[in-house]
Amino acid sequence: MKYETLFDVKTLFAAAALLCPAWICAETAPADAPEQPAACAPDCAACAEAEKPAQPKDTVLAVPACDVSAALAVPAPAFADVKNLDGKVFDAEAALRLPIPDADKLAFVPAIVQDGFFAPQDAAAPAEGEPATLRVYRFFVTPSAYVKAKLKVKTPQRCEVYVNGAKVADKLSAQESAEKAETAEAELSLEVARCEILVKTLVAAGDKATPALSAEIVTSKAPDKVAIAFPKASDKRPLTIADVNEGERVVGGAISPNGKYVMNTFSELKADESVRWRIEVRALASGKVVFRADGADYAWMPQGARIYRRKVALGRASYVAIDVATGVETTLAEDLPHDNHGYTWLPDESGFIVSKTEKWVAPTDNFTRVLNIADRSGAFRNRTYLYLYKFADGVMRPLTAGTKSTSLNSVSPDGKSILFSTNDVDYSRPEYSRNSLYKLDLDTMKLDALVVDDSYDSFAQFSPDGKKALLVGSPNALGGVGRNVPEGMTANSYDKQAFILDLATKEVDPITRDFDPSVAAARWAGDGRIYLTVEDKDRKSVYAYNPASRKFTKIAVPAEAVYGFSVSTNPKEFVPVATALGQGSLVPPKAYVVDLKKNAAREYLSSLDDVVSEAAMPTERPWNFVSSAGVEITGQYFLPTDFDPNKKYPMIVYYYGGTSPTTRGFGSHYSYPLWAANGYVVYVLQPTGTTGFGQEFSAGHVNAWGRRTSDDIIEGVKKFCAEHPFVNEKKIGCIGASYGGFMTMYLQTRTDIFAAAVAHAGISDITSYWGEGYWGAVYNAVAAAGSFPWKNREIFVEQSPLFSADKIKTPILLCHGQADTNVPVGESIQMFAALKILGKPVELVTFKAEDHILSGYGRRTQWMKSHLAWFDRWLKDDSDWWNALYPDTQKNW
């Protein structure tokens, strides 16, 4: 019989594929099978095996060098062979469990290498009858990126393994030789930091093996993603988050009225969330510390060199004076009211001006009638009044009353009068807040209105002769006499100015009108000069102003950012000396003594000296450019500590833009050197609208809401990359907080040059922030002067990132404190919702009980790690750290 061929092979396989596509999958089909279909059978084992990702090969790194301590004898204690309450005798295991010695107190020497093992230079097999001995081996591991690894320690001795002081593994048996040594293993999660590994070994009676140890690090991470180094103890280590957050630093400095002593305040944030405060007083002539105490509630008395503190018990306060030269304490006053009371000394030390706050108590908890925008804060209805308290009669004499709160500004040098202010809210006028300044004669109670219903900043101080007053306020204060912007521009009210007010004639002298730096603090000193701490472009400086010559002199404090300056205001005891606190991006806080006659400063105190000596700091360089608008935009950049100009690096761009310059501070939550230590180039710039560069420059912030600022950032990043070929233009990230968080979101609607973005406490919808933030409307009264949601859609809608969320392509990490009153957490939530619906890469991390700035140690640490992990994920294509911080255990939710 003849059979006809009904199907060729390809047709047969095609038909079979209808029943089981696996028959013709790439793994099982004949060479002449038809083309593989788009989908294979769900249970195709061959395809499942073929689709498995190739397992990366482990990288095994032998520890190349190790130090070892001398042997520490552990003689058996009395009654060693008697069982304890747990039924155990003191044996080799008990000896091994003895606390590890303090490594800092051990004398380490390099171990020698024998047959692949480290051995002490005096290595020898234990002799019969010798007591047990402990040795500690030490080596360090430093990765270039976050990595999970396995530590393997091989030794014939019993051992315990410690990583950064925490025990991670042990081995309780001893072997007879190194060749037969067993291994102790531990899983490690290493961040970019120097990791100290200590191995405590025990040689007990009866052991046969000579002391020896080897160790290796095993990781599946590819070598192009992480480099693992084994530094020496003397090598510089990377800067860490702990370096930025922890450690005691000087935070305050005050010169004594007689100029002979300085009191410094120190704070130390600890890992358990506590803060330790202390003070010390030293003589300036000798530098010797003459007094120390815990706490921070100490201050100088108005005369001489006595400090005082307030002691509180059962709601009552007493005042104690301490002579710093002798340490003798004297009780000045007792049984004074304490709750919400502030005390300011009279110059002759005969009593106080007392500020007493009376809290408003709501009649019901069931509802609240909100009177105005400011009433939402909870303190608007409280009232503060002033009282005069003299030790001689012990009577609290009222100085102010009525419906308005009063704030003490200054006491006259002769103690006979005070300057105080009142505050009103008026939403019909620009800036909303209105202040009035009064002079009150304490004897006659004569009241003199000096400034009425104005926008000065509620700061005023008598001149040394009591005839004038120093005021600080916006350029628009006092009738706009300090305003200095071109016609058609609106002055930025955050660009603070200083004024001299003649108390008799009421004439105002705008002393900083033509002075570009913005005033942060001011003090009229006993030598007749006015000392101004200012935002000086991207630095913070101190200037002295001489009212007689009308000249400014920069005080020579050798710090990028001066954040404290103290000089005596007492003209009778004045000594031309001051103290200053300063820091820099790479320099922790320091304290200086300033000779005001010579205009020379010397350092007498520094913070975090161990960090400075141990940690490698990145290179910092200035970089400015001229924008297309013809304006110079200043900035700085930082290079990784192991920088190679022939390599390409990812870059992080940082900005604020909310009218203040970015901080040059070592302890900043946004730490440029920390980012550089993690392998990033860091570019920081001061865009248009920033204070400290002159009123015309800062006026660019008004009614812009990000447009000019973002132009500068985008142009600056492009020009920086063009001039610096070591930047990988495809791997640039950006980060900002508050207004800078808004800027992060807004930038992604305008450009695609960023590969990752981080926004902390950012504003996504200017309209909702305007109404819901406690200070939203008040801030917009400056940032959007004269503009409102109902009359400027261009700003409030078109420039709100939320309304352009569909334009965003960049992966964004949104961070926010759950208790943020400045920028409500809803600003991040609504952007998160929008990007989730749009299918864009976004993450939202909120922090319990945190307000606008994260203060809790643990939450702040998690927050800082999250930033770096996010950038690693998108700028280094390395998700390991992010996945370790936020394991995807709920992917099906």
Side-chain angles (χ1 to χ4, degrees), residues 25 115 215 244 312 437 469 526 535 590 667 679 686 726 777 828 843 892:
C25 72
D115 300 325
V244 176
V312 179
L437 179 67
E535 293 173 348
K590 296 177 178 290
Q686 314 290 343
F726 50 77
S828 286
E843 293 279 356
N892 295 322

Coordinates of all heavy atoms in Angstrom, one line a residue, residues 25 115 215 244 312 437 469 526 535 590 667 679 686 726 777 828 843 892:
C25 N 9.6 25.1 21.4 CA 10.3 26.1 22.1 C 11.8 26.1 21.7 O 12.2 25.1 21.1 CB 10.2 26.1 23.6 SG 11.1 24.7 24.3
D115 N 52.3 29.9 55.1 CA 51.5 28.9 54.4 C 50.0 29.4 54.2 O 49.0 28.7 54.4 CB 51.5 27.6 55.1 CG 52.8 27.0 55.2 OD1 53.6 27.1 54.3 OD2 53.1 26.4 56.3
A215 N 41.5 34.8 56.6 CA 40.2 35.3 56.4 C 40.0 35.7 55.0 O 40.9 36.1 54.3 CB 40.0 36.5 57.4
V244 N 28.8 62.8 60.4 CA 28.0 64.1 60.2 C 27.1 64.3 61.3 O 26.8 65.4 61.7 CB 27.3 64.0 58.8 CG1 26.4 65.2 58.6 CG2 28.3 63.8 57.7
V312 N 15.0 75.2 88.5 CA 13.5 75.2 88.5 C 13.1 73.9 89.3 O 13.7 72.8 89.1 CB 13.0 75.1 87.1 CG1 11.5 74.9 87.1 CG2 13.4 76.3 86.3
L437 N 7.0 99.8 67.5 CA 8.1 99.8 68.4 C 7.9 101.0 69.4 O 7.6 102.1 68.9 CB 9.4 100.0 67.7 CG 10.7 100.1 68.6 CD1 11.0 98.8 69.3 CD2 11.9 100.5 67.7
A469 N 18.8 103.8 68.2 CA 18.4 102.3 68.3 C 18.8 101.7 66.9 O 18.7 102.3 65.9 CB 16.9 102.1 68.5
G526 N 30.0 97.8 72.8 CA 30.4 98.8 73.7 C 31.5 99.8 73.1 O 31.7 100.8 73.7
E535 N 24.8 87.1 55.5 CA 24.9 86.2 54.4 C 25.7 87.0 53.3 O 25.2 88.0 52.7 CB 23.5 85.8 53.8 CG 22.7 85.0 54.8 CD 21.3 84.8 54.3 OE1 20.9 85.5 53.4 OE2 20.6 83.9 54.9
K590 N 34.5 75.4 64.7 CA 35.7 75.9 65.5 C 35.3 77.1 66.2 O 34.3 77.8 65.8 CB 36.9 76.1 64.6 CG 37.4 74.9 63.9 CD 38.5 75.3 62.9 CE 39.1 74.1 62.2 NZ 39.9 73.3 63.1
G667 N 28.0 69.9 59.5 CA 27.0 69.1 60.1 C 25.7 69.1 59.4 O 24.7 68.7 59.9
G679 N 31.3 58.3 46.3 CA 31.6 58.1 44.9 C 30.9 59.1 43.9 O 30.9 58.8 42.7
Q686 N 24.2 78.7 43.7 CA 23.4 79.7 44.3 C 22.6 80.4 43.2 O 23.1 81.4 42.6 CB 24.3 80.7 45.1 CG 25.3 80.0 45.9 CD 24.7 79.3 47.1 OE1 23.6 79.6 47.5 NE2 25.5 78.5 47.8
F726 N 34.7 64.5 33.3 CA 34.6 63.4 34.2 C 33.2 63.1 34.7 O 33.0 62.2 35.5 CB 35.6 63.6 35.4 CG 35.5 64.9 36.1 CD1 34.5 65.1 37.0 CD2 36.4 65.9 35.8 CE1 34.3 66.4 37.6 CE2 36.3 67.1 36.5 CZ 35.3 67.4 37.4
A777 N 0.6 81.2 53.2 CA 0.1 82.5 52.7 C 1.1 83.6 53.0 O 1.3 84.5 52.3 CB -1.3 82.8 53.3
S828 N 3.5 66.0 49.4 CA 4.2 64.8 48.8 C 3.2 63.7 48.4 O 3.4 63.0 47.4 CB 5.3 64.3 49.8 OG 6.4 65.1 49.8
E843 N 8.8 56.8 44.7 CA 8.7 56.2 46.1 C 8.4 57.3 47.1 O 8.8 58.5 46.9 CB 10.0 55.6 46.5 CG 10.4 54.3 45.7 CD 9.7 53.1 46.1 OE1 9.0 53.1 47.2 OE2 9.9 52.0 45.5
N892 N 2.9 42.0 46.0 CA 1.5 41.6 45.5 C 0.4 42.4 46.2 O -0.8 42.2 45.9 CB 1.3 40.1 45.8 CG 2.3 39.3 45.0 OD1 2.6 39.6 43.8 ND2 2.7 38.2 45.6

